[in-house]
Amino acid sequence: MNLPTRKRKERPKTLRLSYFKNEGDHEWLDIPVSDHPYAVVLPVIQPPTLFSGAPHRDGLVIEGTSVRAGPNFYQKLQSFGPNKAFTQEFSPDLFGRLLAKIAHGYAVGEVGSYNFRPFLQGLILGTQTFSSSFIGGGSSQGSRRLLHQLSLEWRASFLVCSITLFSMEASDSAGSAGPTYDVIVGMAA
């Protein structure tokens, strides 16, 4: 996506593409970045159980995926011939931890660390089991002028950060925003 970076010289020259030889057997091909078909694949998850009233579960409750293909994705993929597949590794726990870090950092920056009792520090540090109580899907945000959208609001006595990742990229390539995530950052102090 050619996003800004401080380590431009460390960008990879190639990216991997999976080649399926037989059923269940595959090899990786290294493809030049300019030729690689890329897509942003994000999970669609249930709302935080603290708000939805659903029973608490450990981990993300994934309902599906939102795929935003890059320019000429299918043409690029087909140009490598049959049996080629776009694959992406995904760890629900690491993704939940990423959302927790973004939300907590944004909340501290916007309202200050002494204006709420934080819920997410153990999750961020890896000392707490991931909880669907605090992190889940939210309703889509309106503006798509920026690559990522963040907003904070108080819902009852809870501070909630809404996050939409790659919102501009999603709207440019597919006509609609990607999923929004609601993260319950903490409680009123």
Side-chain angles (χ1 to χ4, degrees):
M1 292 175 63
N2 205 24
L3 296 173
T5 180
R6 291 185 200 143
K7 300 178 181 179
R8 209 161 178 66
K9 293 180 182 178
E10 294 179 25
R11 284 185 187 228
K13 303 286 186 236
T14 62
L15 295 172
R16 299 192 129 191
L17 189 68
S18 190
Y19 167 66
F20 290 90
K21 300 189 301 185
N22 301 314
E23 190 155 330
D25 189 23
H26 76 279
E27 286 182 7
W28 291 102
L29 301 173
D30 289 319
I31 306 298
V33 170
S34 60
D35 297 333
H36 194 281
Y38 78 85
V40 176
V41 180
L42 297 170
V44 176
I45 56 180
Q46 290 182 352
T49 60
L50 193 62
F51 289 149
S52 71
H56 165 76
R57 292 177 58 185
D58 288 340
L60 291 177
V61 181
I62 299 174
E63 298 178 327
T65 56
S66 171
V67 179
R68 301 296 181 232
N72 304 315
F73 175 82
Y74 297 104
Q75 294 89 339
K76 286 182 178 183
L77 187 60
Q78 289 174 347
S79 73
F80 295 105
N83 301 326
K84 305 301 186 288
F86 172 84
T87 60
Q88 183 172 353
E89 293 181 61
F90 178 74
S91 165
D93 288 339
L94 290 177
F95 187 72
R97 206 167 165 190
L98 169 73
L99 293 174
K101 289 177 185 182
I102 292 169
H104 181 80
Y106 187 66
V108 167
E110 291 294 308
V111 301
S113 62
Y114 298 105
N115 293 317
F116 67 96
R117 284 193 353 235
F119 290 159
L120 305 172
Q121 291 166 313
L123 177 60
I124 291 168
L125 296 171
T127 60
Q128 172 186 337
T129 304
F130 185 84
S131 173
S132 63
S133 297
F134 303 121
I135 300 176
S139 53
S140 187
Q141 297 190 32
S143 171
R144 288 180 193 71
R145 294 184 317 263
L146 302 172
L147 184 60
H148 307 299
Q149 301 292 314
L150 298 170
S151 64
L152 278 176
E153 68 176 317
W154 288 98
R155 294 186 196 165
S157 60
F158 298 107
L159 182 60
V160 179
C161 180
S162 294
I163 303 168
T164 305
L165 301 173
F166 301 104
S167 62
M168 182 180 286
E169 181 69 21
S171 65
D172 288 346
S173 66
S176 63
T180 295
Y181 306 102
D182 282 346
V183 181
I184 304 172
V185 179
M187 212 172 177

